[in-house]
Amino acid sequence: MRYLADLKEGQQTVDIYLCANKQILKTRAGKTYYSVRLQDQSGTADAKIWDLNDGINNFETGDYIKIDASVVSFQGGLQFNIRRLRVADEGEYDPKEYVPTSQFDIDQMYRELLTYIDEMDDEWLKQLASKFFIEDSRFKDTFKGHSAAKSVHHAFYGGLLEHTLGMLKICRFMASTYPQLNRSLLYSGALFHDVGKLKELSTFPIVEYTDEGQLVGHIIIGIEWISDKIREIKGFPETLANLLKHMIIAHHGELEYGSPKKPELIEAVVLHYIDNMDAKIMTFTSLFKDVDEKDDWAGYQRLFEGNIRRTRY
Amino acid sequence: MRYLADLKEGQQTVDIYLCANKQILKTRAGKTYYSVRLQDQSGTADAKIWDLNDGINNFETGDYIKIDASVVSFQGGLQFNIRRLRVADEGEYDPKEYVPTSQFDIDQMYRELLTYIDEMDDEWLKQLASKFFIEDSRFKDTFKGHSAAKSVHHAFYGGLLEHTLGMLKICRFMASTYPQLNRSLLYSGALFHDVGKLKELSTFPIVEYTDEGQLVGHIIIGIEWISDKIREIKGFPETLANLLKHMIIAHHGELEYGSPKKPELIEAVVLHYIDNMDAKIMTFTSLFKDVDEKDDWAGYQRLFEGNIRRTRY
Amino acid sequence: MRYLADLKEGQQTVDIYLCANKQILKTRAGKTYYSVRLQDQSGTADAKIWDLNDGINNFETGDYIKIDASVVSFQGGLQFNIRRLRVADEGEYDPKEYVPTSQFDIDQMYRELLTYIDEMDDEWLKQLASKFFIEDSRFKDTFKGHSAAKSVHHAFYGGLLEHTLGMLKICRFMASTYPQLNRSLLYSGALFHDVGKLKELSTFPIVEYTDEGQLVGHIIIGIEWISDKIREIKGFPETLANLLKHMIIAHHGELEYGSPKKPELIEAVVLHYIDNMDAKIMTFTSLFKDVDEKDDWAGYQRLFEGNIRRTRY
Amino acid sequence: MRYLADLKEGQQTVDIYLCANKQILKTRAGKTYYSVRLQDQSGTADAKIWDLNDGINNFETGDYIKIDASVVSFQGGLQFNIRRLRVADEGEYDPKEYVPTSQFDIDQMYRELLTYIDEMDDEWLKQLASKFFIEDSRFKDTFKGHSAAKSVHHAFYGGLLEHTLGMLKICRFMASTYPQLNRSLLYSGALFHDVGKLKELSTFPIVEYTDEGQLVGHIIIGIEWISDKIREIKGFPETLANLLKHMIIAHHGELEYGSPKKPELIEAVVLHYIDNMDAKIMTFTSLFKDVDEKDDWAGYQRLFEGNIRRTRY
Amino acid sequence: MRYLADLKEGQQTVDIYLCANKQILKTRAGKTYYSVRLQDQSGTADAKIWDLNDGINNFETGDYIKIDASVVSFQGGLQFNIRRLRVADEGEYDPKEYVPTSQFDIDQMYRELLTYIDEMDDEWLKQLASKFFIEDSRFKDTFKGHSAAKSVHHAFYGGLLEHTLGMLKICRFMASTYPQLNRSLLYSGALFHDVGKLKELSTFPIVEYTDEGQLVGHIIIGIEWISDKIREIKGFPETLANLLKHMIIAHHGELEYGSPKKPELIEAVVLHYIDNMDAKIMTFTSLFKDVDEKDDWAGYQRLFEGNIRRTRY
Amino acid sequence: MRYLADLKEGQQTVDIYLCANKQILKTRAGKTYYSVRLQDQSGTADAKIWDLNDGINNFETGDYIKIDASVVSFQGGLQFNIRRLRVADEGEYDPKEYVPTSQFDIDQMYRELLTYIDEMDDEWLKQLASKFFIEDSRFKDTFKGHSAAKSVHHAFYGGLLEHTLGMLKICRFMASTYPQLNRSLLYSGALFHDVGKLKELSTFPIVEYTDEGQLVGHIIIGIEWISDKIREIKGFPETLANLLKHMIIAHHGELEYGSPKKPELIEAVVLHYIDNMDAKIMTFTSLFKDVDEKDDWAGYQRLFEGNIRRTRY
């Protein structure tokens, strides 16, 4: 398929895109038309259907739609004028092509993630990690494809996996460099810190907060999930369970960021910083993708509470 | 027994008290002596053992000790000079006499609490409340005797029960007055909001934070407990479980007070205020017990972030 | 009259509405037209006068205008195209029909409010309340019709009365349940806490901050008013006056919310929570009136600093 | 009289001092003795009465006591050992000698203050100032002798007058330099900003918060006082009254410092800074009086939220 | 030239203006047109070039352009329709006419500023001030023309000079009135407090943050500049250098406003307030220039965190 | 020598210690005695000189003193009763033995630090680092021996070096793992982030804030130092200098922690976290050295704003 980002003014396209949003509007003259947001993994584009004739079949937000459209330029951007449209059949398209996706191979990242479980010395924590990441195939599939966030950092298919793996790499280095850190606990903290997001956020292509996500939040969702699996492991030490739960609970670092406890273990302190480092580097990099190559500054960014700058001179 | 608070300068006592604290010290002259804090339900008193002779048997903090002592006055307070001491045998004393206790009858309060469960319309929530407060006799016993806090408000045997009942009364009134409130959800919020404290704080006579309490905290402990019981109820609606969990999660009202979510349901908003009202009225009343009857002002109180005053004129 | 909310596309109306706002604009082609906001108690509507002919008499914002208009649909909403317009004469309309009004009977609420004054034990406070709510008929009339706020909670005719009465009900319950509370002081706090709003906000149909309201604020306006009335009561105890003033001063609960003192009396602590409970329940209920019946979540709400949800499952 | 600060080890004194505090204590050996804090305008000193014989008459905190004592050195400080003591008769002493007092002549400062009232252009504000500072002789006397604070800045007899005058000087300069400032309003703000302190704090020699001071606070006390006097001035413009009240209300600058409104008038903005400048310069100067001459740094000072340094090099 | 602010609907103008901004847009019909913001010292105006014919020469943002245009009224404002346009040659215009400029004579203000340097007692600080303000002619020129801010206060040609002089006047008064203040240090603080802005902000006509300004900030830029000059003065006391640096570092008053140290010297405390007073008076005055003469209130103002009001009655 | 930490009750010692503090006090009976704090690298101990006879020579705080003392037990701790004392001669003792010192070899750490300079790609930054760490031998010596803090983390001889090296290790890992990070800039940030501390804190054995340290602070001291060296490098790019300065300025991460700019470069963001991680791991480890081996919890720790726990189970 030809990605939206590659189409240019004056071209025609007959291809399938995700309808990310559909609105029914009226012109000043009172004529009804549709405003449609098309999406594929390269991004989104604005489209209009001015003439609601027989060539335009019924469709809704969330449908994959096959369109016949011409690309025009309007107020500095491109606009797709759709002449014909029908909902595509399953099989006609590959849903993965319609969501932003990690640039790394997902299965390979996952295999790499498993090597960290191998490295864990503590048999209880290792067994727990295996129960999730090796034995529970439904968890495995969801985890692989999940986004780490609704927007901001790692907001793409495989994002949570990529972010977790990024953290694990730093964890490995820190545990090797500072022997006072408990490696197994630190790895477990990285592996599980955001598993609650699998239920807090719905899955691609539409990533939204779920009812449970808004009412309970990923920290507590994650804790409950972990408790359930721990219950399946006979003899799992209660104190160890509490230490692990504390890692998850405290990973936001401050009460006002939603952690009901501040870090009380050195591994929890470190995990909080590692989470921030990986997430902020990715966000920084991703924010500058939308900044004109000739500009050094990206303007005010809420996440960084200020203006940010490319490092070049 | 004669309570510590009733003893006066010049009197003798041969009675059993809880040793709440024992320290080994030395006089300036280098002689070893013991400083002991005696406790019963009327309060605590300072005692000394100046002469470590044969009449003084071995004992430790936490022991119930039978002492032979004379009461003297020292620097504006009373001091017990202990001459003889032995650890009391179980059966010689009633532990309840050594902890501050609710002024209300505990069993009667508990029976009253059960009437609120009766009133609940929602069968799922009613069943859940029954599982805890009626069917689980171990829970019942612990709940009856627990303190609502390490210090501050309702810090006595039966304190959590008294506080929960106090909240339920206001909940009943609010649910009757504002029909838009869901009575069952509000009652459930009151009943369960602090059940995690049963594991966060150790039991009388020594109330301390447990390891689990410090690492995980009573909010999440409570959530997990509730989840466990819900799992035993087949068909319990998942959404309802999330609403109830939210009631517990949000009852501190603000992230910086340790709630990982701010109240998002009107019942959660109301529960937060009801919790505060009952707790603050009790704290206020209790703080003024230690203030000289002739003084209107109690001086700076951390909980109220200022000076507080008796209401009289 | 036919309310704005009941009119539909394609209908004609010849009726009187309040002109809540009038703007003189120009079309792209340079032709002058008027944009008018119509108001009645059912809400507001957008109207245009495209043709400024003889049928359109002079009028200003704040006038009650009789219009002859047709209702058309424009960009998803309705628009009134006005062909003829004249200012209505007093007597042709009932101003109450043009402001949002409490759903409860105002006189009956007021009678109920007076029963609380009856219940007050303290003769001084009772006498003071009578001076305002019984003897001062101008105060009585203004109080009955006032809004509790410019927007947000109880922002309708009779809103302050409804809110005060809501608080009094909870006060009665609290004073009965917690005998340590001074009933008369608590009731007085509820009755007087917002009387300053009668001068802080102008009256319906246009509710705006007055100059005095912005410079001095309703807390201090209220205090001065109370002082004036107290001065008329010979022998009113000075200390009692200070306690009552403190109730008003502290009812916002925190310095940063505009209370120059934090609550120092237990009745002031409780009044602050009662004020919040009644106000927040009403706000919650009112916010969801504008939310689509099929949606559970109302989206981010500034007053609750987050998203809020209907309680249903 | 010989001031406490001038007495040295080994000397005898037979003189009258204020008993700022009296405590009844016991020695380790159980013997009762009195610990007394003596005060005069040079400061305070620690005294003991070891032998409670016939030469020691009854006395209480607040009494002026004539003592016969010898000065000894104890743990790096001086201690007065009192052998004989009786309460002095009025007339035997001049109370002013027992309180710290402004170094400037109070009547002369007051005369200077009146010149600012002369300068006021606005006849209403001038008349109001006269009602307080010229016509009300009781106000005048209290104002002259009052402290500007319980401790910290200008905490001495005449302190409020000295501080008010200091502010007026800056006000005069600012009004001359910035013609957009309303001179009369600015002067009035300075004159009245702390008049509420006359009732918030009790008078020398014992400066404590009054009941009214704690419950209502000097800002609102001041506002009520001003309102009372304004009522006596027929035709005083209501808007002007509100502007003046705003000056008082907002002079703490921020809600969290107890101002229920932030400054909304430029004169209120400026007054807030002028108040701070005069108060902080005096505090700075006064803090360094207690710092060893050879030290540059005074150590952490709560008012300045940090360490402060003498300016010298 | 005829200033933009003086032109009226229906007039023609053939004159030179600064092109503060140029945008290329399209009409709904797809036709390209230019939207141009014209600027001179009287303000800015909106212009359009609908017909991109031969009479319209190439030009860019930042150019001084000679235009032939007619003034029309559009949606309540004026719009310039440009028919012919060319870039003006240097010499055809005086850049000073195109930037907002202090209403005071810049050279005279500068001469007045020098008198303060004359008054300084401390020879080291005087010598330092001379090195900047007398001997360094490039500094002198930049300082004279600089803006004190990107927007808000003193945002005009000569603004920094006017603001510095305003502060010096207050400094002189304060040093005379409070002898404990070190005059030379206080004057130096005023002179140097914002010199870093000469590099933090680019110069007129386009005032933007420089790269250095954003990365390093005017406080540290100023410190480095001062250090450089101090190094040229043999024997300059190191302690004095530190005191002066502290004046600059601390002038924002609080860490959260970007001062890495809170004021520790009394002169630093005072300088902070003087800076605020002059800046806020100017901002207040300037904000009301844009408010309708009949309105008392200016609406919410971010700098004052609230609504502000003219002082009149 | 025998370290203070190794001496036990009942032993005698004739050895040299640092007098960290000397106080002249009096017993109750009025007899003068000295209270002395002894220090060596194992810690500090309390000593008394009861008998000020000829065997006790003159000495001051900061002297190395040779004492003849016996060790007694007093109130749960040890006390040294000094019988004879004289100031030791230089040469009799090795100052390094009297300050806490890094457990790692300082020269070896320094050699390792130099390898990071080798790795830097950017020739300008490399040259700058060399100017400090290789060519400036006085800097080198001070840097090697300096403490990273007055107390808290790395508060020992070699502490700054150890901390800097710890950060560099993490920097190397991060630069290798995240290619978008500029390695040279990140290393330079670590190398220079605290060099200002060499002047902010005095050197061992007495580590106190210097006058410059308190007035100016290590961030700005460091910036000035770096600027001075940059000036010696002809052609050093100005933009690069600003980027580097920003790294130093922003390393505290937040304005309220004393950084006048929040991190605007991704390397500055990362450096801030790396600084925290290394410092907090060391503090955590060091705090638990003083906690009884049998306790899991260390109690409230200001730096972590809460209780902290050993990781064991």
Side-chain angles (χ1 to χ4, degrees), chain D residues 12-241:
Chain D
Q12 303 288 326
T13 179
V14 180
D15 224 324
I16 296 168
Y17 301 100
L18 175 66
C19 168
N21 193 259
K22 169 194 171 187
Q23 276 184 291
I24 304 175
L25 303 172
K26 270 177 213 254
T27 64
R28 274 192 173 250
K31 200 178 145 200
T32 299
Y33 68 96
Y34 295 169
S35 182
V36 176
R37 185 136 287 267
L38 302 173
Q39 180 186 312
D40 67 15
Q41 68 169 258
S42 73
T44 63
D46 186 30
K48 303 285 180 217
I49 306 177
W50 299 110
D51 189 9
L52 304 177
N53 57 30
D54 290 359
I56 305 298
N57 292 185
N58 285 336
F59 71 104
E60 296 303 331
T61 294
D63 285 341
Y64 291 86
I65 50 176
K66 178 150 199 178
I67 59 169
D68 174 348
S70 56
V71 185
V72 299
S73 160
F74 179 64
Q75 292 195 347
L78 293 184
Q79 196 175 81
F80 287 57
N81 285 331
I82 300 176
R83 275 178 308 258
R84 295 167 53 91
L85 178 157
R86 69 165 171 83
V87 175
D89 299 323
E90 269 193 48
E92 279 191 287
Y93 57 91
D94 175 0
K96 288 210 182 58
E97 301 228 36
Y98 297 90
V99 293
T101 303
S102 172
Q103 57 175 317
F104 300 106
D105 181 83
I106 282 173
D107 287 318
Q108 188 170 331
M109 282 197 290
Y110 200 82
R111 280 191 301 275
E112 193 178 339
L113 178 144
L114 296 182
T115 67
Y116 288 89
I117 298 178
D118 264 2
E119 278 179 30
M120 289 163 62
D121 313 313
D122 182 280
E123 288 307 317
W124 298 110
L125 293 174
K126 189 177 202 161
Q127 201 177 335
L128 180 66
S130 305
K131 278 212 164 283
F132 275 93
F133 289 89
I134 299 176
E135 300 166 26
D136 184 339
S137 61
R138 198 161 138 238
F139 171 86
K140 201 154 57 172
D141 287 347
T142 324
F143 188 87
K144 279 182 179 179
H146 217 79
S147 166
K150 182 155 176 294
S151 56
V152 190
H153 80 91
H154 296 87
F156 47 76
Y157 190 90
L160 181 55
L161 171 54
E162 188 178 323
H163 173 49
T164 302
L165 190 58
M167 287 175 65
L168 281 167
K169 286 178 192 166
I170 313 180
C171 287
R172 178 188 278 156
F173 174 78
M174 292 301 291
S176 302
T177 309
Y178 296 86
Q180 57 266 69
L181 298 177
N182 181 311
R183 181 184 300 266
S184 301
L185 191 61
L186 194 57
Y187 284 15
S188 301
L191 285 166
F192 294 124
H193 83 293
D194 271 351
V195 293
K197 287 206 172 160
L198 270 55
K199 298 181 182 171
E200 184 185 55
L201 295 170
S202 62
T203 45
F204 285 107
I206 298 170
V207 179
E208 293 293 347
Y209 283 100
T210 61
D211 204 52
E212 183 179 10
Q214 296 214 73
L215 286 167
V216 179
H218 73 274
I219 284 187
I220 290 183
I221 294 172
I223 291 292
E224 290 205 60
W225 208 343
I226 289 164
S227 281
D228 285 357
K229 292 276 188 199
I230 283 177
R231 201 175 293 117
E232 299 172 14
I233 302 172
K234 219 179 133 171
F236 197 101
E238 198 186 315
T239 300
L240 179 56

Side-chain angles (χ1 to χ4, degrees), chain A residues 214 224 227-228 231 245, chain B residues 224 227-228 231 245 264:
Chain A
Q214 296 215 72
E224 290 206 60
S227 281
D228 284 358
R231 199 174 294 117
K245 286 178 196 173
Chain B
E224 290 206 61
S227 281
D228 284 358
R231 201 175 294 115
K245 286 179 195 173
E264 298 164 346

Side-chain angles (χ1 to χ4, degrees), chain A residues 200 211-217 219-220 223-224 227-228 231 238-239 242-243 245-246 249 255-258 260-261 264-265, chain B residues 200 211-217 219-220 223-224 227-228 231 238-239 242-243 245-246 249 255-258 260-261 264-265:
Chain A
E200 184 184 57
D211 203 52
E212 183 179 11
Q214 296 215 72
L215 287 167
V216 179
I219 284 187
I220 290 183
I223 291 291
E224 290 206 60
S227 281
D228 284 358
R231 199 174 294 117
E238 199 186 316
T239 300
N242 288 332
L243 294 176
K245 286 178 196 173
H246 180 75
I249 287 169
L255 300 195
E256 53 265 46
Y257 298 149
K261 290 274 178 189
E264 297 165 346
L265 303 170
Chain B
E200 185 185 54
D211 203 52
E212 183 179 9
Q214 296 214 72
L215 286 167
V216 179
I219 284 187
I220 290 182
I223 291 291
E224 290 206 61
S227 281
D228 284 358
R231 201 175 294 115
E238 199 186 315
T239 299
N242 287 332
L243 294 176
K245 286 179 195 173
H246 180 76
I249 287 170
L255 299 196
E256 53 267 45
Y257 299 150
K261 290 275 178 188
E264 298 164 346
L265 304 171

Side-chain angles (χ1 to χ4, degrees), chain A residues 57-75:
Chain A
N57 291 185
N58 285 337
F59 71 104
E60 296 303 331
T61 295
D63 285 343
Y64 292 86
I65 50 177
K66 178 151 197 179
I67 60 169
D68 173 349
S70 57
V71 185
V72 299
S73 158
F74 179 64
Q75 292 195 346

